[in-house]
């Protein structure tokens, strides 16, 4: 399947985009920067942005923890080209998919309904980029997406309750 994805999509432009996404998502750094930027630019919801960034970091850490327990090796097959470097040889789940999904759920909730389509598309593109680059199996990105959504959903509930306690007249 990976070879098929690469044969269909791994051309010069898509590989450049996938590598850029990979760099942005490495160690969730790009998503953490977005959270900090949101906190700086949206002062009334600074705590929500910062809490969301912490949750993105937690989701990333959770994926690393699962990787170390499962210890699944990255794809290694003659028909699959690895088109980017990786910080480890472990593949399950995709930390990029995990942190991207957590960021999409949390930051998308802060940005409003208009951002949801873009957030969903970003998750799909990040997941696809991991396949194009040959560094994950489809189940790695699917599981990473589920893990990121689960962490974000739990964190969003905690963040909303905390915001409601700080400002009970806001309607929570």
């Amino acid at each position: 399947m990976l070879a098929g994805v690469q044969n269909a999509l791994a051309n010069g432009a898509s590989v450049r985009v996938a590598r850029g996404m990979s760099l942005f998502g490495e160690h969730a750094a790009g998503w953490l920067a977005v959270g900090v930027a949101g906190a700086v630019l949206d002062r009334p919801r600074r705590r929500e942005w910062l809490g969301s960034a912490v949750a993105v970091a937690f989701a990333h850490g959770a994926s690393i923890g699962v990787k170390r327990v499962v210890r699944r090796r990255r794809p290694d097959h003659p028909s699959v080209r690895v088109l980017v470097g990786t910080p480890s040889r472990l593949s399950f789940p995709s930390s990029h998919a995990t942190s991207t999904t957590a960021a999409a759920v949390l930051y998308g909730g802060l940005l409003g309904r208009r951002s949801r389509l873009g957030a969903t598309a970003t998750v799909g593109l990040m997941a696809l980029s991991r396949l194009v680059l040959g560094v994950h199996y489809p189940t790695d990105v699917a599981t990473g997406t589920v893990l990121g959504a689960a962490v974000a959903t739990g964190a969003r509930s905690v963040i909303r309750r905390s915001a409601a306690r700080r400002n009970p007249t806001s309607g929570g």
Side-chain angles (χ1 to χ4, degrees):
M1 182 173 186
L2 284 176
V5 168
Q6 285 189 323
N7 288 336
L9 300 175
N11 60 46
S14 68
V15 170
R16 282 191 297 277
V17 169
R19 284 181 178 152
M21 294 183 78
S22 183
L23 180 61
F24 182 86
E26 195 66 47
H27 305 296
W31 297 122
L32 297 174
V34 169
V36 170
V40 168
L41 298 171
D42 186 2
R43 293 184 71 121
R45 296 185 299 169
R46 177 173 284 162
R47 287 181 187 217
E48 289 83 0
W49 280 100
L50 292 174
S52 295
V54 167
V56 169
F58 180 83
H60 178 76
S63 71
I64 298 298
V66 173
K67 277 184 195 234
R68 291 188 177 175
V69 169
V70 174
R71 305 201 64 75
R72 180 189 218 179
R73 303 290 246 165
R74 291 193 186 271
D76 182 20
H77 190 274
S79 65
V80 174
R81 296 168 287 144
V82 177
L83 302 173
V84 70
T86 59
S88 84
R89 294 181 182 165
L90 303 177
S91 125
F92 182 89
S94 165
S95 296
H96 281 75
T98 303
S99 61
T100 300
T101 303
V105 170
L106 292 161
Y107 302 158
L110 288 166
L111 292 170
R113 289 190 175 166
R114 290 184 180 190
S115 71
R116 289 193 183 131
L117 180 60
T120 301
T122 301
V123 170
L125 288 172
M126 183 62 84
L128 183 59
S129 79
R130 308 314 288 160
L131 303 179
V132 167
L133 295 172
V135 294
H136 282 290
Y137 297 102
T139 52
D140 298 341
V141 295
T143 302
T145 299
V146 170
L147 178 59
V151 169
T153 300
R156 184 170 51 191
S157 176
V158 170
I159 292 165
R160 285 181 177 167
R161 281 195 308 267
S162 177
R165 280 194 306 271
R166 280 191 316 281
N167 190 6
T169 61
S170 71

